Amino acid sequence: HIVRRYVACLNRRDLDGLAELLHPDCSLIDNFGERIEGRDAVVEATRQLLSMDPDLNLRIDTIAEHAGDMLLRGHASASIPE
């Protein structure tokens, strides 16, 4: 599943691999509810996130898809507290 490949790239810090998975017009809703538009912006936001916590790791437990939107449920671990 492409979402699992995306998370694997994120966990490996492979931003080039992550970018290859994204459509140029993709969007991402961050944990603040803000929509990030476009592959370059999503990759840059991911780069910033990883720079804030180099130990960030995601685990996907379930994936739900509806009308092209994806909802992931899982766990994030990090070395920096909220």
Side-chain angles (χ1 to χ4, degrees):
H1 200 277
I2 194 165
V3 174
R4 291 189 187 282
R5 290 172 47 206
Y6 175 91
V7 170
C9 285
L10 186 138
N11 287 340
R12 287 193 314 266
R13 308 316 189 246
D14 179 5
L15 296 179
D16 291 333
L18 187 141
E20 290 177 13
L21 297 172
L22 299 175
H23 186 278
D25 297 328
C26 70
S27 62
L28 172 78
I29 300 174
D30 69 13
N31 59 330
F32 299 109
E34 297 294 323
R35 188 175 206 87
I36 300 166
E37 299 283 345
R39 176 177 40 218
D40 293 342
V42 169
V43 171
E44 180 55 30
T46 304
R47 183 183 324 278
Q48 290 176 12
L49 176 66
L50 294 174
S51 73
M52 290 177 3
D53 191 339
D55 295 323
L56 177 68
N57 190 277
L58 301 181
R59 183 190 78 224
I60 299 173
D61 294 330
T62 61
I63 300 172
E65 182 177 0
H66 177 72
D69 292 327
M70 307 295 289
L71 175 65
L72 309 181
R73 184 165 299 193
H75 179 77
S77 60
S79 59
I80 298 175
E82 286 185 44

